[in-house]
Amino acid sequence: MLYHLALVSDWEAAIAEGAYRVSTLGRSLADEGFVHAAFDHQVRGVAERFYAAVREPLVLLLVDERRLSSPWQVDDVPGAGEGFPHVYGPIDLTAVVATSTVVRDRDGTWHGLGVIGGAPA
């Protein structure tokens, strides 16, 4: 499974358009050439590093890579110490098998990023 943090507004636009085409916060698939993704153990770090200042509602997409029509691969990310998955095309709505609302409380604790039994908690 692959995971992708999205602004709720971007996810709602994808539902209306029929595919998800946002690479990362403020960048499109056309801008980057791929959609950033993560494995379950990488999601919290992505949230803390790239989404800490975001106050807009977020959603965690659980993507079944077997349902993607776009190719994906794990790429080295300089300075990360490990590879991250990237989807080289739009994410099909049918590949998103679950979503989880992600919120950050006043103490800065993330909720909705945990993974239990292969599905977001």
Side-chain angles (χ1 to χ4, degrees):
M1 291 292 164
L2 306 178
Y3 297 82
H4 177 83
L5 274 172
L7 297 175
V8 168
S9 58
D10 289 339
W11 176 236
E12 289 172 346
I15 292 169
E17 294 172 16
Y20 185 81
R21 292 180 172 87
V22 177
S23 178
T24 190
L25 192 58
R27 303 281 296 171
S28 70
L29 171 61
D31 295 332
E32 292 289 307
F34 56 84
V35 176
H36 287 270
F39 294 117
D40 59 353
H41 69 279
Q42 298 170 320
V43 172
R44 187 166 302 278
V46 169
E48 290 170 355
R49 183 168 181 192
F50 299 104
Y51 291 82
V54 174
R55 296 296 170 238
E56 186 175 338
L58 299 172
V59 62
L60 180 64
L61 310 180
L62 175 58
V63 180
D64 184 342
E65 70 277 6
R66 298 168 299 180
R67 294 182 178 198
L68 288 170
S69 60
S70 299
W72 73 279
Q73 67 185 37
V74 177
D75 295 315
D76 289 331
V77 175
E82 65 181 320
F84 280 77
H86 296 133
V87 180
Y88 287 86
I91 293 178
D92 309 281
L93 297 183
T94 57
V96 179
V97 296
T99 62
S100 176
T101 301
V102 177
V103 295
R104 193 165 188 194
D105 64 25
R106 290 183 185 184
D107 297 329
T109 303
W110 291 99
H111 301 278
L113 295 176
V115 179
I116 298 173

